[in-house]
Amino acid sequence: MSALLEVDGVSRRFGGLYALRDVSFSVGEGEIVGLIGPNGAGKTTCFNVVSGTLAPSTGTVRFKGHQIAGLKPSAIVALGLARTFQATTVFPTATVLENVMRGAFARTPVSPLASLFNTGAARAGLAASEERCARLLERLGLAPFRHQPAGELPYGHQRRLGVAIALAAQPQLLMLDEPVAGLNPEESAEMGRLIRDLHETEKVTVLLVEHHMRLVMGICHRIVVLDHGEKIAEGLPAEIRSDRSVIEAYLGTEEEA
Amino acid sequence: MHDPRLPTTGSGRLPGSAAGRTWAVRLGALAALLAAAALPHFVSNQFYMHMANLALLNAIFTMSLGLIAAVGQLSLGHAAFAATGAYISALGALHLKLPPLLGIAASGLATALVAAILGKILLRLRGVYFVLVTFLAGQVVTLVALNWESVTRGANGLVGIPPISVLGYSLGARAQFYYFALAAFVGVFILLRALMRSQYGRAFRSIAENIELAESSGIDASRYQVIAFAIGSGIAGAAGAVMAHYIRYVSPDTFTFHESVAYITMLVVGGRQTLTGAVLGAAFLTPLPELLRGFVSMQHIIYGAVLVSVLIFLPGGLASIGHRIAKMTRGGRPRP
Amino acid sequence: MDFSTLLAQAALNGLVIGTMYMLMAIGFTLVFGIMRIVNFAHGEFYMLGAFSAFFTYAQWEVPFVFCLVIAALTIGALGALVERAIIRPFRNDELSGMIATLGVSVVIQNAAVVAWGPTPRAMPNVVDGVLSVGPFTFPLSRLVVIATAALIFAVFWFFMQRTRTGRAMRAVAQDADTALIQGIRVNTIYPIAFAISVALAALAGALMAPIFSVSPFVGLTPMLKAFVVVILGGLGSVPGAVVGGLLLGLIESFTATALGSLVADILQLLLVILILLVRPWGLLGQKEA
Amino acid sequence: MRRLLTALLPLACVLSAPAASADSLKIGVLATLSGAGTAWGMSMQGAAELAAEAVNAKGGLEVAGKKYKIEVVAYDDKYKAADALTAMNRLAFDDGVKYVVGPLGSAPALAVLPVSTENKMITMTMAFTPKALSADFKYSFRPVIPSDVFSDPQIKWVVEKLGGKRIGGLFPNDESGQQVGAANEKAYEAAGAKFVAKEFFERERVDFVPLLTRVLAQKIDVFELNGNSPQTAGLLVKQLREMGFKGPIIRTGGDATADIVKVAGKAAAENVYVHQPIDLASPAIQNYTKRFEDKYKIPLNAFSPFFYANLEMLFEAMRRAGTVTDTDKVRTALLALKDFDTVLGKVNWTGQAQWKSNQQLDAPFYVAVVKDGKPVVQAKCTPAKCQ
């Protein structure tokens, strides 16, 4: 198994407190990996460190062999790693198509300067990009809304648009931050299907942070469990389900979760 | 007011979305431009020409501020860049006999460079810190202009700045300067419109709307914020130089914090979303103080009240009135 | 005047100015910490406080303690009103909120010009006379300012630490989302925070009014200094505002006494720029994630 | 486009308000009517309005058989050159004004004088810069006496009378402060005293104690207040006295006595020597003071009568020239007035030697000391000497 993403000994302190302590794991090409843990376990911090929003205090993160810890998010995207967000998933006032065009920014074969002078090549490049984005919307069932402002879409559609924006960057590794948070069971199931579908047809590797156990257990090949900023378990869904430390960690916070 | 009829195209929001109305808009813009060009022939009152000139210059200041605002940054030091440009060109003309046109270009480049360096250094300082830093930058410029007496002549300011001349033809008079200001205005308008419709504009809007998501879409927010800040400030610097050659005088008082606030007010009142908004704001608010020239306190109160009311009741500014009306008359027909 | 007297003078003066900066900056930073808004009208509330003291103390001869209470209450109430009417619509749009406060500042200042005229007014000192300690003489009027400011700060600190509302405000400042989950109501906390903030500015204005003069334009300088102080101490940090305010007052006093005013002003700006470069979150502020 | 038009139409209407009727004569006022310089701006506006009142009460100004009602148009320049320029443009082209009381301050003056000269507008300025009067600015008159003229004899008198040897002073870091500071130092040194402490400060500063501490550390005998705005002067006096300075404080600059007393209080203002441009004991001045204070409810600034006097002369010049429109003729007639009786007493024009322009009003001035809140004249001065 060739590792696409290697997280090695990553710690992150806020003030004097460790939000992450010496966390290591890897994601292999073609895998769907779940990152789970109770509230405050450090999942989001971990996610932010990998995607470049936060710099780790110590440790390294490698993507396709490149050291990416501390790089800007935009540079990391350029390498082929894209993410979604939990809360602010879309550009609300722009149209759905424009949202995806923005997501495709790094993959649009047009230099900004060329587009400023509106050269023929720039127009052609933008047209090609637009076509690709339109296909992507088609694929995710969002095509009928392409000219609507994203903020006016139903919530479930907005979450899906968030995935579309990330996909528009043509990532090899797609990181999803609680993709089904706030969705109803039906929408959640649909999102689960979509992820699996994307994984199969687009050959995209997925790292998933999620609360929703059924989704994680259902689609992930492998699961990493964090608690209090430390990795407490890693393994196949079946192993995790019966892991004592995991059960304890979750029981301890059951009522909150 | 006899302000130039300005092309009202170019919301620049979505490339291609304007395709349907292109011809009507182009014709309208052309007509407006012709009307603006003919203005001096109909207006003999020199005071109105003076106001038209000020309105054009203010429109340039406001549009360039709007560019910075388009990336989600509020600059409280816009006038400081105008002052920097004004001093550079004025000093160049007075000491080096630099032709004003060259001086203006040099001012624009120099202030853009300063802004780029400042922006690069203060990369981390987004949002509120950016506001405070631009504010302090304004203070620094005023302090330097005041205290670097040997160069800036201190509070006395620089007197006897030559007027702009093009091919040996002096543009000292108001009507002649008007054509220069109009040309500069149209140039800046076209440049900014192209910018906002290009991939730059796409990046700017993404950053303004959701900076985290923009970053994660591969848009280097810091880079584009610096670009917008440098271009916006560079234009302000050049326009400041133009102003210096027009009023032929510059002192630390010419461009202060109050001017920065005035530009913000024009931008907000006209509408932050579009270039047209900035132009409307300048066209509307430049003559407004004249209503109460003898009673400035009242004038300021109205200015402030207009600013706050527009923010609350008409967040899109004057420019959005048209959209609102259009929306109502179209009766909810889906957008093209 | 010998050297030690000079030092003592400079220190005392630095403390006086520092307490004014401190009171201004605490309110300023409080509103920023809680509402994420830079209040450009903060200086105008200082000015209103000064006018309030002028009318109550110099004209109606109310005892000064009550003058302070009146200033804090009336202007605090005005602040709550301003928050409700003008700032609330921009709860999720900090930039517009800031621009709105610019508008408010312009309106208040010029309304004051229309109502009270632009000419400065002087008012009598609260106490006259000097305190002589060995070779040093200190004007009592200035000592009173320091003591009163310390008392005001103590009351404020007690409020923030010991009352429910105070604790709620601190919670919102630290982590708005969590605080909201815990049931703290923004619609009550914001106006209170804003009222307290401007009441502190008004108190600073009322305290300083007898020492300086009173005019519609006196709010500008204290506000500028509040900016500098919060950058120095850290945006949103109350201890930072206290330390930064006193520090700035002392630095300013000593540099101005030793090197002259212009050098002092330029040094101040350089200091701010230096802080921004090496420690943009301020001396006591927290680095944002 | 229509939107733009409709929005701006009302503005256009207001701006092009109907031109004055044929029988009215407009006098412009271009001065600072807001902010720290208001006291001076008001003194100019007041002079224009009172002069108009006086003429209109007699049925108007009769020139060449026609009676003109005087109308005053006052604009605020906010003490900024750019605003002054806009206001002057408006006076010139929109209001068609030919006579302006103003501009005030050196920066606005230098910005607007080219426009007023180009349009042959007669201006009566309160700008002390030497450049405000010159052969280039043919129509620029200055009724008030600039400090570089009156400070020399006054300083000489003060140094002799008070025996001060070590002088200290604090000046604002603006155009007047920078100029006055240098001029003052020279004058004191010429009179045999030494300027041992000279400090500049930014205009936003309100606390002068650190700077005064610095100045007092030089063991000064006399403190000089010139160049400061009236309110700053008051604050300085107040803080100086609080710090225990008991020596004489001198104000050689423009009149600020009323503000000094108001801000610093009567007690602190004792032993302050002020430049007194007018003789408060003269009945004409007392009458004028009463009219001014009754109308505006603010203390009279002593510059006001100078503008009033200049307007009296202007009206007389119009009568003699027989025109209100030909400013060249009016200017000639104005310059021809000799020993003309005004509110200030008999006055003349001077200045040829100094500025190559004989358009400086020449009137006696005084040195006074503040006693119980009122200036008491100590000596009468001419540009040559005080006694």
Side-chain angles (χ1 to χ4, degrees):
Chain A
M1 182 178 72
S2 62
L4 191 59
L5 177 74
E6 292 166 279
V7 175
D8 190 12
V10 165
S11 298
R12 169 73 207 199
R13 280 187 307 271
F14 288 111
L17 296 172
Y18 277 95
L20 278 185
R21 190 195 284 266
D22 198 22
V23 170
S24 304
F25 65 91
S26 64
V27 178
E29 181 120 39
E31 270 191 306
I32 300 183
V33 174
L35 186 61
I36 66 168
N39 262 338
K43 300 181 302 268
T44 300
T45 308
C46 181
F47 207 79
N48 286 340
V49 166
V50 173
S51 67
T53 320
L54 272 181
S57 304
T58 54
T60 60
V61 182
R62 285 176 184 282
F63 180 68
K64 294 199 289 192
H66 299 276
Q67 163 69 277
I68 61 167
L71 284 190
K72 289 182 190 175
S74 53
I76 295 175
V77 177
L79 286 172
L81 189 159
R83 67 168 291 186
T84 65
F85 289 84
Q86 224 178 100
T88 52
T89 50
V90 299
F91 300 105
T93 67
T95 64
V96 168
L97 178 61
E98 173 65 15
N99 263 273
V100 187
M101 290 287 284
R102 291 179 184 178
F105 192 87
R107 293 283 176 264
T108 306
V110 177
S111 85
L113 219 53
S115 76
L116 177 58
F117 294 108
N118 206 13
T119 60
R123 276 200 298 264
L126 282 172
S129 171
E130 192 171 325
E131 209 189 304
R132 195 168 65 75
C133 290
R135 276 205 305 274
L136 186 61
L137 287 176
E138 198 93 29
R139 172 112 177 61
L140 273 83
L142 292 168
F145 313 104
R146 53 193 287 183
H147 293 302
Q148 263 182 37
E152 292 175 9
L153 290 185
Y155 187 67
H157 286 31
Q158 287 194 23
R159 303 303 309 243
R160 204 140 21 114
L161 179 56
V163 177
I165 294 170
L167 279 177
Q170 297 177 328
Q172 281 163 276
L173 175 60
L174 176 65
M175 296 175 51
L176 301 170
D177 195 356
E178 304 205 9
V180 300
L183 297 187
N184 63 32
E186 214 171 294
E187 290 170 327
S188 300
E190 212 174 306
M191 180 65 83
R193 275 198 298 278
L194 176 67
I195 295 170
R196 212 171 350 202
D197 190 31
L198 287 172
H199 173 254
E200 274 162 24
T201 55
E202 311 277 318
K203 304 287 174 249
V204 63
T205 307
V206 177
L207 175 62
L208 180 72
V209 163
E210 191 48 75
H211 247 49
H212 192 284
M213 276 304 156
R214 195 179 305 158
L215 178 79
V216 176
M217 294 298 170
I219 66 173
C220 292
H221 302 147
R222 208 151 51 80
I223 293 175
V224 175
V225 189
L226 294 181
D227 188 30
H228 295 298
E230 295 183 56
K231 186 170 91 174
I232 56 168
E234 181 176 354
L236 302 174
E239 295 168 7
I240 295 299
R241 209 169 307 179
S242 55
D243 189 298
R244 269 194 59 174
S245 55
V246 176
I247 294 168
E248 267 168 29
Y250 267 87
L251 278 178
T253 55
E254 194 72 296
E255 53 270 43
E256 287 171 40
Chain B
M1 248 313 287
H2 299 268
D3 263 302
R5 304 292 86 83
L6 306 162
T8 51
T9 56
S11 73
R13 213 179 265 167
L14 297 177
S17 79
R21 46 175 186 150
T22 306
W23 276 108
V25 163
R26 278 187 193 163
L27 271 175
L30 193 68
L33 200 60
L34 283 176
L39 185 70
H41 295 285
F42 300 111
V43 178
S44 55
N45 187 324
Q46 292 293 301
F47 172 63
Y48 289 177
M49 287 317 300
H50 179 66
M51 293 309 292
N53 290 338
L54 290 185
L56 285 170
L57 289 176
N58 280 339
I60 295 177
F61 286 126
T62 310
M63 287 192 294
S64 56
L65 182 67
L67 177 66
I68 300 169
V71 241
Q73 302 270 55
L74 177 67
S75 172
L76 273 180
H78 210 54
F81 287 102
T84 311
Y87 270 102
I88 291 174
S89 190
L91 288 170
L94 290 173
H95 296 312
L96 310 175
K97 302 273 172 269
L98 198 65
L101 280 182
L102 262 177
I104 291 164
S107 294
L109 289 176
T111 45
L113 192 70
V114 170
I117 293 169
L118 196 67
K120 264 268 188 294
I121 292 174
L122 303 172
L123 269 184
R124 295 166 287 188
L125 308 177
R126 289 194 180 129
V128 171
Y129 277 103
F130 183 84
V131 174
L132 290 177
V133 168
T134 51
F135 176 82
L136 290 172
Q139 301 295 109
V140 171
V141 168
T142 308
L143 260 180
V144 169
L146 217 44
N147 291 307
W148 197 8
E149 263 190 270
S150 55
V151 174
T152 63
R153 310 284 315 280
N156 280 308
L158 298 170
V159 199
I161 302 169
I164 296 167
S165 63
V166 178
L167 304 174
Y169 185 70
S170 163
L171 305 179
R174 289 163 202 85
Q176 282 130 36
F177 177 81
Y178 171 79
Y179 286 109
F180 181 82
L182 185 65
F185 165 77
V186 171
V188 170
F189 189 94
I190 290 173
L191 171 72
L192 292 183
R193 185 159 165 270
L195 196 67
M196 289 311 285
R197 293 185 158 202
S198 71
Q199 284 288 86
Y200 286 107
R202 174 165 280 145
F204 294 165
R205 283 186 293 275
S206 306
I207 293 162
E209 207 170 333
N210 188 338
I211 189 166
E212 283 185 321
L213 188 54
E215 285 268 7
S216 298
S217 300
I219 296 167
D220 185 344
S222 310
R223 176 161 173 258
Y224 286 100
Q225 282 179 325
V226 170
I227 289 175
F229 185 49
I231 297 178
S233 302
I235 293 174
V242 173
M243 180 80 128
H245 289 287
Y246 174 54
I247 64 176
R248 307 186 51 189
Y249 178 81
V250 61
S251 77
D253 258 352
T254 313
F255 294 106
T256 64
F257 177 58
H258 292 280
E259 276 64 37
S260 292
V261 173
Y263 303 144
I264 292 173
T265 309
M266 289 177 190
L267 183 64
V268 170
V269 169
R272 274 173 286 180
Q273 306 302 329
T274 62
L275 264 183
T276 328
V279 178
L280 279 179
F284 179 66
L285 286 176
T286 305
L288 192 66
E290 294 307 319
L291 293 181
L292 290 157
R293 176 52 82 185
F295 197 14
V296 166
S297 298
M298 216 56 207
Q299 168 190 319
H300 285 309
I301 292 178
I302 292 178
Y303 237 82
V306 166
L307 174 65
V308 173
S309 325
V310 168
L311 273 171
I312 295 180
F313 301 113
L314 194 64
L318 294 178
S320 69
I321 295 176
H323 286 281
R324 285 193 179 190
I325 294 172
K327 224 178 176 177
M328 263 159 29
T329 50
R330 262 187 228 148
R333 208 186 330 146
R335 288 150 206 252
Chain C
M1 224 184 290
D2 61 41
F3 188 67
S4 60
T5 326
L6 213 62
L7 274 184
Q9 285 280 2
L12 175 79
N13 194 57
L15 277 181
V16 170
I17 301 300
T19 53
M20 167 174 106
Y21 294 170
M22 175 187 93
L23 289 180
M24 286 299 285
I26 290 173
F28 187 77
T29 212
L30 187 72
V31 158
F32 178 79
I34 292 174
M35 302 166 64
R36 314 305 285 180
I37 270 189
V38 168
N39 177 16
F40 283 98
H42 203 61
E44 307 317 327
F45 292 100
Y46 170 97
M47 179 268 290
L48 290 177
F51 265 104
S52 161
F54 175 81
F55 287 119
T56 51
Y57 185 69
Q59 297 215 319
W60 305 333
E61 301 183 346
V62 177
F64 196 68
V65 181
F66 294 112
C67 295
L68 291 178
V69 175
I70 293 171
L73 289 181
T74 50
I75 288 150
L78 177 70
L81 212 68
V82 166
E83 196 281 335
R84 178 69 193 82
I86 294 169
I87 299 177
R88 188 170 295 182
F90 307 111
R91 193 151 290 168
N92 294 313
D93 184 358
E94 293 151 17
L95 225 53
S96 298
M98 276 189 264
I99 300 173
T101 65
L102 275 177
V104 170
S105 141
V106 170
V107 171
I108 295 183
Q109 185 185 90
N110 289 284
V113 176
V114 171
W116 302 315
T119 25
R121 304 154 187 244
M123 55 186 280
N125 281 331
V126 179
V127 280
D128 281 316
V130 290
L131 176 72
S132 297
V133 184
F136 310 121
T137 50
F138 302 118
L140 279 176
S141 56
R142 292 191 169 232
L143 293 176
V144 166
V145 168
I146 298 177
T148 320
L151 189 69
I152 292 169
F153 179 69
V155 172
F156 170 77
W157 191 248
F158 179 83
F159 175 82
M160 291 300 278
Q161 298 296 325
R162 293 299 163 81
T163 66
R164 270 185 60 162
T165 320
R167 282 198 293 259
M169 278 165 46
R170 285 194 300 146
V172 176
Q174 267 164 17
D175 185 348
D177 295 333
T178 314
L180 292 181
I181 290 166
Q182 287 166 353
I184 290 170
R185 274 205 302 271
V186 168
N187 279 358
T188 43
I189 290 301
Y190 278 21
I192 294 177
F194 200 81
I196 292 177
S197 158
V198 302
L200 285 170
L203 283 170
L207 268 180
M208 294 297 154
I211 298 189
F212 306 133
S213 61
V214 181
S215 90
F217 311 106
V218 293
L220 177 68
T221 308
M223 190 190 69
L224 292 184
K225 300 299 179 179
F227 281 6
V228 174
V229 170
V230 293
I231 290 179
L232 217 59
L235 259 172
S237 158
V238 170
V242 176
V243 174
L246 294 176
L247 201 64
L248 185 71
L250 287 169
I251 291 175
E252 205 177 286
S253 178
F254 279 113
T255 48
T257 309
L259 305 165
S261 159
L262 298 184
V263 184
D265 288 346
I266 289 169
L267 272 181
Q268 217 176 78
L269 284 170
L270 287 179
L271 180 70
V272 168
I273 290 167
L274 187 76
I275 290 276
L276 280 171
L277 287 181
V278 299
R279 220 183 139 80
W281 51 92
L283 294 176
L284 298 182
Q286 286 197 353
K287 193 172 177 174
E288 287 198 24
Chain D
M1 218 25 49
R2 196 167 302 133
R3 194 182 342 133
L4 190 70
L5 268 179
T6 40
L8 296 176
L9 210 60
L11 277 181
C13 293
V14 176
L15 285 178
S16 53
S21 70
D23 293 351
S24 83
L25 172 66
K26 281 189 188 174
I27 303 287
V29 174
L30 174 56
T32 305
L33 304 173
S34 59
T38 308
W40 289 327
M42 277 303 297
S43 79
M44 296 161 73
Q45 187 181 357
E49 286 175 355
L50 290 173
E53 224 170 60
V55 170
N56 291 342
K58 289 181 204 146
L61 178 71
E62 193 170 339
V63 176
K66 216 165 151 192
K67 286 235 176 191
Y68 293 89
K69 281 256 183 234
I70 310 286
E71 229 181 276
V72 173
V73 187
Y75 291 146
D76 187 350
D77 67 4
K78 308 187 215 167
Y79 206 70
K80 294 182 75 148
D83 276 277
L85 187 67
T86 298
M88 186 55 100
N89 266 298
R90 183 162 173 195
L91 286 170
F93 302 117
D94 201 42
D95 297 309
V97 165
K98 288 279 171 204
Y99 308 94
V100 177
V101 176
L104 194 174
S106 306
L110 295 176
V112 305
L113 283 174
V115 175
S116 59
T117 307
E118 174 196 343
N119 292 288
K120 301 189 171 188
M121 298 159 82
I122 290 186
T123 56
M124 292 152 255
T125 184
M126 172 143 65
F128 292 149
T129 166
K131 292 178 202 141
L133 286 191
S134 79
D136 292 338
F137 299 139
K138 234 176 104 184
Y139 306 91
S140 171
F141 287 80
R142 179 162 56 199
V144 289
I145 299 160
S147 43
D148 48 347
V149 174
F150 65 65
S151 64
D152 290 10
Q154 184 176 348
I155 284 171
K156 215 149 118 204
W157 181 84
V158 163
V159 169
E160 272 165 28
K161 167 119 195 303
L162 303 173
K165 284 282 168 242
R166 298 173 67 82
I167 318 292
L170 218 56
F171 303 94
N173 194 25
D174 61 16
E175 106 269 343
S176 54
Q178 288 172 359
Q179 250 159 39
V180 165
N184 244 347
E185 180 164 10
K186 228 188 272 165
Y188 274 103
E189 312 249 307
K194 216 172 155 48
F195 221 105
V196 289
K198 189 169 87 177
E199 297 289 331
F200 288 94
F201 60 88
E202 293 311 320
R203 264 174 295 177
E204 286 87 32
R205 185 171 275 274
V206 285
D207 183 41
F208 301 102
V209 172
L211 302 174
L212 292 177
T213 307
R214 245 171 104 72
V215 171
L216 292 184
Q218 296 298 320
K219 300 195 188 342
I220 58 164
D221 308 318
V222 173
F223 188 87
E224 170 65 58
L225 274 183
N226 198 2
N228 288 293
S229 74
Q231 75 176 87
T232 310
L235 269 180
L236 282 171
V237 170
K238 180 174 183 170
Q239 293 182 358
L240 265 174
R241 294 298 190 219
E242 271 175 9
M243 294 176 70
F245 180 70
K246 296 196 176 57
I249 299 173
I250 299 175
R251 168 78 178 182
T252 39
D255 177 37
T257 311
D259 288 288
I260 290 176
V261 172
K262 215 168 147 189
V263 173
K266 278 182 190 170
E270 289 291 307
N271 206 14
V272 174
Y273 285 78
V274 293
H275 163 67
Q276 184 63 41
I278 49 176
D279 179 8
L280 290 168
S282 108
I285 290 291
Q286 280 177 353
N287 179 33
Y288 183 79
T289 308
K290 191 170 174 326
R291 281 173 68 200
F292 188 94
E293 292 182 353
D294 282 351
K295 180 156 182 185
Y296 299 104
K297 314 282 179 228
I298 54 171
L300 175 79
N301 185 286
F303 280 137
S304 189
F306 287 82
F307 290 93
Y308 192 86
N310 201 349
L311 284 165
E312 286 181 292
M313 298 171 82
L314 180 71
F315 293 149
E316 178 60 26
M318 288 178 192
R319 273 186 220 112
R320 293 192 186 181
T323 173
V324 297
T325 49
D326 187 341
T327 49
D328 278 315
K329 281 188 186 155
V330 175
R331 172 175 176 269
T332 314
L334 184 55
L335 281 173
L337 295 177
K338 291 242 153 46
D339 281 329
F340 187 74
D341 214 5
T342 66
V343 66
L344 297 171
K346 290 200 188 326
V347 296
N348 286 297
W349 293 112
T350 180
Q352 188 62 44
Q354 211 165 344
W355 302 291
K356 311 224 179 321
S357 161
N358 206 35
Q359 301 181 174
Q360 167 69 51
L361 194 76
D362 186 17
F365 52 94
Y366 310 87
V367 181
V369 66
V370 178
K371 283 217 167 81
D372 194 29
K374 291 265 176 294
V376 177
V377 169
Q378 301 290 297
K380 183 174 178 179
C381 311
T382 64
K385 121 188 240 191
C386 288
Q387 20 187 252

